[in-house]
Amino acid sequence: MTEFDPADHFAPDRLEKLGRLREAGVDPYPPAFRPSRSVGGFVDEYEDIEEIEDDTTHRLAGRVHRINDLGGIAFVEIEDESGAVQLILDEDTDGYEHIDELDFIDIVGAEGEAVRSNTGELSLHADSFTFLTKTLKHHNPPSQSELGDRYETRAVKFWWGEVRDPVETRYRMTRQLRRFLDDCGFLEVETPVLQNVAGGTDATPFETHLEAKDQEMYLRIATELHLKRLLVGGFEKVYEVGPVFRNEDIDVTHNPEFTMLELYQAYADYTDMMDLTEDLVAHLVEAAAGDLVVTYDNPLRDADGNVRTDEENDVLTEPVEIDFSPPWPRMTPEEAIERYSDESIDVTECDDEELRELALAHGGEFPGGYSRGLGIVELFENVAEYEIVDPTFVVDHPKETTPLCKDHREKEGRIERFELFAAGFELANAYTELNDPVEQGELFAEQVARREAGDEEAHQMDEDFLDALAHGMPPAGGLGVGIDRLAMLATNSQTIKDVIAFPIRGE
RNA sequence: GGGUCGGUAGCUCAGUGGUUUAGAGCGCCUGGCUCUUAACCAGGCGGUCGAGGGUUCGAAUCCCUCCCGACCCGCCA
């Protein structure tokens, strides 16, 4: 049996204070306190009153952010979620005798009346003072601390608004998202995280093991194939917002687990999805940022698309204004290449080989073999994607880019797909969903071939999904939105970690 | 997978052309103080310098290996 020795884990001086409190019969961790109001509410009521003549008793609680003990009188600033206020404790205060045991960041409660200090500061003159949570770690005031990203102290970093605000805004945005879609008649559903076949996109899955059946399983890389099964089952408007897992590396716009919205609407197509995306994203940005035009400190990139940094590895940025007011421009990949490339490349003038040379020259790669469509995509990603600032739909991709999308109703070799870009990265992806089981089977087979040819991220065959599709999925539009990235733009965060409460630890 | 930078007191950091006793601010401890605002005043404690090995009369400092962290590249959303 392993003994737990607090001295191995916690600050010795605080453990001594904890012991002294217990010896004095004070519970350092009482079960409840029940404040009569928030600190912010208290401040709001009295802050404009010069001469406070009000003997109402208030009970306030919060974390200690300052202690000025003058001996005989002490000023203790506490802060809760709504604001901060100063407590005045003196020899008449019940509990003042334990002031020596009080530390910065302890959580305390006090009961008393609103007063002004001699310097005029709104305060609560405490009749009683109670320890609510004795802390056992030291912590310096913000003026003494650097804001770091170390996971183990992440809980504490939320005290400072710089860390907390983007995360809080992100959760409020998700809340708005659910309201919006619920109001549109979508049903929120949950599909399996553990899957036999990880499909729905090209990505490397996490592998795990199911002991009960002694079989390998995967964490989902997308929710697409299960949401489509729901369409087969008669659900007509469904969405899921939740984590997906991709076993790939970590950078400013990628975290191995991230939150994705996927939604599917029966009898709709990708143009309906574009309209919905404009409404939804604009609504969310406005709700989160307070305006449809947001300022974003966009990372600067060199000619190769690499992020530029200074000697201390700080990412260099330039502020850009991103205007989310609908409607947003819609252009094909070729049009985007011509518009955003420095040389105004017109790929319609290139034959297949010229296009391949051009794509390779701009850093393109073709691990699973070259085709004209893939050449266009590589060129787009290398010359155009980073240049797009305002939200822009890139539409009608080459057929090779995904095996899950329906052929374009007019354009040969194209599919009915769009991607939404803003600030140089992809925010959303949508299709007129493929519901032809034979073509789906053929496309899966092509993927398997590509996989065997060396493209490790190509799809696997999903027989169960094909079987479902063969029972009839109505024509449908589907949409995926990267919630973390949308939150980045809405909160002017330069790294995805800033909008994730507990980002994964790097190696 | 490749690269850059970093790890020194509880926290944030300085110190490294090799030298006796490794520093600062904050925190902490003792004492004082009834209107403070990072309170103040006086005194004090606190570090096997990320781990291991090597070079050397002598290593926080030079070399090697490893661990951990931040960032960049490739890939991916």
Side-chain angles (χ1 to χ4, degrees), chain A residues 82 188 280 319 413 501:
Chain A
S82 66
E188 182 174 12
L280 173 65

Side-chain angles (χ1 to χ4, degrees), chain A residues 113-159:
Chain A
E113 304 82 44
V115 296
R116 292 221 170 255
S117 71
N118 289 1
T119 57
E121 179 168 342
L122 174 61
S123 311
L124 185 84
H125 185 248
D127 300 320
S128 70
F129 171 76
T130 313
F131 282 88
L132 299 180
T133 302
K134 183 66 197 159
T135 54
L136 299 178
K137 286 282 191 182
H138 291 161
H139 206 276
N140 276 358
S143 54
Q144 296 291 329
S145 296
E146 287 282 313
L147 293 171
D149 270 333
R150 290 164 61 192
Y151 174 86
E152 62 269 28
T153 53
R154 185 80 173 170
V156 168
K157 303 295 184 194
F158 289 131
W159 294 342

Side-chain angles (χ1 to χ4, degrees), chain A residues 5 10 70-71 96 135 144 149-150 197 217 231 245 250 254 258 268 274 295 298 301 306 321 358 382 429 468 487:
Chain A
D5 183 357
F10 309 134
L70 278 64
Y96 181 77
T135 54
Q144 296 291 329
D149 270 333
R150 290 164 61 192
V197 181
M217 296 201 78
L231 291 185
F245 308 85
I250 301 160
H254 297 85
F258 64 102
M274 257 184 276
T295 301
N298 210 27
R301 291 175 183 276
N306 298 335
E321 291 210 329
L358 208 48
N382 286 299
N429 181 28

Side-chain angles (χ1 to χ4, degrees), chain A residues 376-394:
Chain A
I376 290 171
V377 170
E378 284 289 323
L379 199 53
F380 168 79
E381 289 178 355
N382 286 299
V383 305
E385 181 173 342
Y386 294 127
E387 303 292 331
I388 298 174
V389 173
D390 281 322
T392 302
F393 290 115
V394 174

Side-chain angles (χ1 to χ4, degrees), chain A residues 418-463:
Chain A
F418 73 78
E419 290 179 294
L420 172 65
F421 292 91
F425 51 77
E426 184 180 347
L427 279 180
N429 181 28
Y431 311 142
T432 299
E433 300 296 341
L434 177 61
N435 63 344
D436 175 340
V438 172
E439 186 176 359
Q440 184 69 83
E442 290 168 355
L443 288 170
F444 274 160
E446 277 177 29
Q447 288 287 314
V448 171
R450 255 167 72 177
R451 206 179 169 80
E452 288 163 357
D455 187 351
E456 292 176 4
E457 290 170 353
H459 274 72
Q460 295 170 270
M461 180 63 72
D462 189 337
E463 296 282 358

Side-chain angles (χ1 to χ4, degrees), chain A residues 6-163:
Chain A
D8 291 341
H9 300 267
F10 309 134
D13 52 290
R14 298 211 173 189
L15 285 168
E16 283 176 26
K17 290 176 179 178
L18 182 75
R20 285 201 289 271
L21 284 172
R22 287 212 156 107
E23 280 170 29
V26 175
D27 181 358
Y29 303 100
F33 179 74
R34 300 199 178 87
S36 62
R37 64 191 316 181
S38 70
V39 170
F42 174 86
V43 171
D44 286 346
E45 177 172 347
Y46 293 105
E47 66 181 345
D48 295 329
I49 302 173
E50 290 299 322
E51 301 287 330
I52 299 172
E53 294 178 4
D54 182 347
D55 59 2
T56 307
T57 296
H58 305 278
R59 284 164 70 82
L60 302 180
R63 197 181 282 275
V64 172
H65 276 201
R66 172 169 55 84
I67 304 169
N68 301 148
D69 179 11
L70 278 64
I73 188 168
F75 300 89
V76 175
E77 184 174 280
I78 62 170
E79 183 173 306
D80 72 2
E81 206 173 24
S82 66
V85 74
Q86 170 176 280
L87 310 176
I88 299 178
L89 317 180
D90 59 28
E91 287 172 339
D92 297 328
T93 304
D94 184 24
Y96 181 77
E97 63 273 24
H98 303 302
I99 188 76
D100 286 346
E101 269 53 82
L102 182 67
D103 286 304
F104 183 68
I105 79 174
D106 285 350
I107 299 172
V108 301
E111 184 170 294
E113 304 82 44
V115 296
R116 292 221 170 255
S117 71
N118 289 1
T119 57
E121 179 168 342
L122 174 61
S123 311
L124 185 84
H125 185 248
D127 300 320
S128 70
F129 171 76
T130 313
F131 282 88
L132 299 180
T133 302
K134 183 66 197 159
T135 54
L136 299 178
K137 286 282 191 182
H138 291 161
H139 206 276
N140 276 358
S143 54
Q144 296 291 329
S145 296
E146 287 282 313
L147 293 171
D149 270 333
R150 290 164 61 192
Y151 174 86
E152 62 269 28
T153 53
R154 185 80 173 170
V156 168
K157 303 295 184 194
F158 289 131
W159 294 342
W160 325 136
E162 284 173 65
V163 175

Side-chain angles (χ1 to χ4, degrees), chain A residues 220-269:
Chain A
R220 68 184 181 194
I221 55 176
T223 50
E224 173 152 356
L225 300 185
H226 283 90
L227 292 174
K228 284 179 171 174
R229 285 172 172 92
L230 290 173
L231 291 185
V232 171
F235 291 87
E236 294 185 355
K237 296 172 89 173
V238 293
Y239 75 96
E240 178 163 11
V241 54
V244 295
F245 308 85
R246 299 187 185 173
N247 205 343
E248 290 150 359
D249 228 327
I250 301 160
D251 66 27
V252 289
T253 56
H254 297 85
N255 196 61
E257 59 176 311
F258 64 102
T259 300
M260 186 146 78
L261 163 72
E262 286 198 46
L263 68 80
Y264 292 82
Q265 179 174 352
Y267 313 116
D269 67 12

